[in-house]
Amino acid sequence: MRVVSFDVFDTLLVRVQARPTDLFAQLGAELAAAGLKVPAPAAFAAARQQAELAARRTAPGGEVTLAEIYAALAPALGWDEATRATAQQRELALEERSLRPVPAMQSRVATARAAADAVWFLSDMYLPAALLERVLRREGFFREGDRLFVSGEHRASKHRGDLFVKARAQAGQAITDWLHLGDNPHADDAVPRAQSIRTELWQDAVLNRYEQLVLTRAGGLQPPSAASARTKTSRPSTAGQRDAPD
C-alpha cells in the first residue's frame, strides 16, 4: 500500500491569528463580552496556556484533549461547570471559524490522492478529530476513506514518533511506500525519516523571520489579521522532497 500523509496546522490549514496566544486573547475578550467571569484578554491567554501545561503534566504521554485543558482551567478561574462548558464550546467555535486553507496545498493533496492508495492526516493537537475532519472536509482536503490521527485522542504524537507507529499499525496491510509532508523539522522530517518514511518539508505557510520580527517589535498579543493570513497562505511553494534513510 502506498500512503501519503500530511501534517495539518501550518501545512494544510492556518489560523487567521498569527499565534495561538492571539486566539486565546480573542477568546478571552469574547467570553467577557458574553458576560462570563474572565480576566483581561492577555491574562486569560496566559491562564489558558498554564492550564494546558498543567494538563499535559498528568496526561498519558503528555498528550491532552481540550476537555482536559478546560478541566484544569475551570478551577483556576473559579468557574462552575456551566461556565466551563460554555467557554470550551466557544473556543471550539472560534477555532473552527478562524481556520483557513493553504491554497497551494489543495492541489498538492489532489496530486497525492491520484498517486497513492491512501491519504492520511496526522496532527499533534488537543482539538477533537471531529472538528479537524469537518474543517478539512469543508476546505476540500478530506474525502471518504481518508484517515485522521490526532495526538490528544491517540495519546501519541508525531514529535515522539509513536503517532506514526500507531498509524502504521492501523493500516490493515503492509505499507510499501510512505511519504509524509509537513512543516516541522523535527516532528515532520527527522522523526518520520528515522522510521524509514520519506519526507517533504514544506514551510511556506509558517511565519517568516520578518513577520516574526514585526510581532516581536509590536509587543504583546496581536489581533487577528486578514493581511497576515493572506501572506501566510499565498507564498509560492519551495518544497523539496527528501528520501528516508535506508
Side-chain angles (χ1 to χ4, degrees):
M1 180 172 70
R2 298 163 300 170
V3 173
V4 179
S5 61
F6 295 86
D7 170 50
V8 176
F9 281 83
D10 287 336
T11 300
L12 303 181
L13 302 173
V14 292
R15 295 179 175 101
V16 297
Q17 299 86 1
R19 301 166 296 194
T21 48
D22 299 338
L23 183 141
F24 301 155
Q26 182 181 348
L27 175 62
E30 291 185 5
L31 295 176
L36 275 67
K37 176 187 174 184
V38 292
F44 175 81
R48 168 63 178 75
Q49 286 183 288
Q50 288 302 312
E52 182 174 336
L53 292 173
R56 289 187 183 280
R57 284 194 287 268
T58 59
E63 295 303 320
V64 298
T65 64
L66 189 66
E68 290 166 340
I69 294 171
Y70 271 78
L73 182 60
L77 296 182
W79 286 348
D80 59 20
E81 177 58 23
T83 302
R84 182 211 59 77
T86 298
Q88 181 178 324
Q89 188 56 43
R90 282 181 175 267
E91 178 166 338
L92 288 170
L94 177 58
E95 284 277 14
E96 187 163 358
R97 70 175 187 268
S98 296
L99 289 169
R100 301 289 186 273
V102 176
M105 296 308 295
Q106 290 172 316
S107 59
R108 183 65 183 85
V109 172
T111 299
R113 194 178 299 284
D117 299 308
V119 173
W120 294 349
F121 304 91
L122 287 79
S123 182
D124 285 351
M125 175 49 60
Y126 47 76
L127 292 172
L131 182 148
L132 295 185
E133 180 178 330
R134 187 161 61 246
V135 175
L136 289 169
R137 284 183 183 274
R138 182 189 78 194
E139 304 303 342
F141 291 117
F142 197 100
R143 294 185 184 178
E144 291 300 322
D146 294 348
R147 302 195 69 172
L148 170 63
F149 300 88
V150 180
S151 64
E153 296 184 4
H154 283 274
R155 305 297 190 183
S157 70
K158 291 187 292 120
H159 187 83
R160 286 199 312 272
D162 47 352
L163 192 60
F164 293 104
V165 174
K166 285 199 171 187
R168 189 188 294 272
Q170 294 184 26
Q173 57 183 296
I175 298 175
T176 56
D177 182 60
W178 186 348
L179 171 66
H180 178 73
L181 188 149
D183 71 288
N184 188 285
H186 176 75
D188 295 310
D189 188 33
V191 171
R193 279 169 53 79
Q195 297 185 29
S196 297
I197 298 170
R198 295 187 297 119
T199 62
E200 190 174 315
L201 190 63
W202 194 89
Q203 297 181 304
D204 290 15
V206 179
L207 291 177
N208 63 38
R209 63 190 182 94
Y210 300 107
E211 292 164 332
Q212 293 283 4
L213 182 61
V214 168
L215 291 176
T216 300
R217 286 181 173 175
L221 297 168
Q222 303 300 307
S225 167
S228 175
R230 284 195 298 271
T231 300
K232 291 169 69 177
T233 59
S234 63
R235 298 184 194 126
S237 175
T238 58
Q241 183 171 310
R242 300 175 60 188
D243 290 332
D246 294 335

